[in-house]
Amino acid sequence: MTSLDTVHAPSAQSLSLEFFPPRDAEGQKRLALTVQALSVMNPAYVSVTFGAGGSTRDGTIETVSALKSLGFEAAPHLSCMGSTQSELKGLLDHYREQGVRRIVALRGDLPSGMGVLSGINALSHANELVALIRQHSGDWFHIEVAAYPEMHPQSSKPTQDMVHFINKVNAGANAAITQYFYNADAYFDFVDRAVKLGVTVPIVPGIMPITNHNQLMRFSEMCGAEVPRWIRLRLAEYGDDRESIRAFGTDVVTEMCQTLLENDAPGLHFYTLNQIEPTLAIWRGLTA
Ligand code: FAD
């Protein structure tokens, strides 16, 4: 249960926070302070990305361990691209020994220029990774997978993308976290379609605070998230006025979170970008 009950949230609605591994010891110290400041949100768990933005596998391992030692339930992201099955099994064993009980299982994206593994050792899609985790570690891990309300950018049709999502659930995923979006209807439509096709696992909206116009447009272009025209126009008009961008972004995202929670989203997963204020400001708005 989280402090979200003040927004008419059923007690099952939970919050989670995502971080990326810092690059050095100084960054680890800063992250510890960030996570502690955000602990006021009483997150059900915190997750740590894998290989994203050039971070290393060891960075994820070290950061998960650091967050666990601060008393948080920490969930590593694990992506199957670029790792052999035996490397993945080794990581699963390591996390199990550390007492990790939750994993975010992904295909991942390879940095350009890196070769794709092929042959019997390679896994090409996240459903295969979920199956490997279940086969190797049984029910030890609670598994989250990714979902794309606005369709994964490499898919050609929403129906096909939904089939691939359902394959991950059928392989043994316990829950899903969505790619971020700024149009709540895309999320509700995705959940409706999934439920009609028999999906019963929670599909938690991924929430990206808006703090930086150019960065948001770049990320969104890469991951296929739509920034609605009216939001783009407002952000463009603010130019370099970062304070106004943040204030506007907080209002827009807080309002969307309110709509999501009032319409029974099972919780919220915040892409914190390792920053305190953008996520905290939204949470304050939700609990005010
Ligand atoms: P999949 O579910 O395998 O899907 C990838 C594509 O393949 C989709 O288009 C799907 O429709 C298609 N597909 C699936 N199965 C088949 C099949 N059998 N045949 C043909 N096509 C198929 N990336 C990182 O590198 N590190 C991270 O830590 C990270 N964390 C993330 C966390 C969340 C919550 C989300 C939403 C994304 C994250 N990503 C991360 C990004 C993610 O790795 C990319 O979006 C990646 O391109 C797809 O990963 P996936 O697990 O969704 O892949």
Side-chain angles (χ1 to χ4, degrees), residues 22 24 35 71 74 105-106 130 140 142 152 156 158 173 199 217 241 246 272:
D24 52 28
V35 182
L106 304 146
V130 175
W140 179 262
H142 182 281
H152 184 268
S156 53
V199 171
M217 297 315 295
D241 179 357
R246 281 192 176 215
T272 69

Side-chain angles (χ1 to χ4, degrees), residues 93-254:
D93 291 341
H94 171 82
Y95 285 132
R96 188 172 178 151
E97 279 157 23
Q98 302 290 306
V100 169
R101 296 303 302 253
R102 198 185 266 266
I103 279 186
V104 182
L106 304 146
R107 183 196 69 176
D109 287 316
L110 274 187
S112 55
M114 236 177 113
V116 178
L117 278 181
S118 58
I120 50 162
N121 238 335
L123 302 180
S124 352
H125 296 290
N127 66 305
E128 295 166 21
L129 176 60
V130 175
L132 179 88
I133 298 172
R134 287 289 173 240
Q135 176 235 318
H136 186 70
S137 309
D139 286 334
W140 179 262
F141 295 108
H142 182 281
I143 304 176
E144 319 270 343
V145 289
Y148 300 85
E150 296 176 321
M151 199 178 83
H152 184 268
Q154 286 160 4
S155 275
S156 53
K157 290 185 201 139
T159 45
Q160 183 196 49
D161 206 37
M162 177 62 79
V163 169
H164 295 147
F165 169 66
I166 292 174
N167 287 345
K168 297 193 272 196
V169 175
N170 291 342
N174 301 99
I177 305 167
T178 74
Q179 183 56 275
Y180 68 86
F181 53 85
Y182 296 105
N183 181 353
D185 284 342
Y187 168 80
F188 293 128
D189 173 68
F190 183 86
V191 172
D192 281 352
R193 287 189 290 129
V195 168
K196 279 190 188 123
L197 291 167
V199 171
T200 56
V201 303
I203 301 173
V204 176
I207 305 298
M208 178 69 87
I210 297 176
T211 58
N212 179 315
H213 180 203
N214 292 336
Q215 187 189 52
L216 181 72
M217 297 315 295
R218 212 173 46 247
F219 276 5
S220 305
E221 181 65 34
M222 281 189 307
C223 71
E226 190 191 34
V227 182
R229 180 177 150 83
W230 69 276
I231 297 182
R232 278 189 277 130
L233 290 173
R234 292 289 302 278
L235 293 175
E237 198 174 7
Y238 288 127
D240 291 335
D241 179 357
R242 298 188 96 171
E243 216 170 289
S244 297
I245 290 177
R246 281 192 176 215
F248 169 71
T250 300
D251 286 350
V252 167
V253 178
T254 305

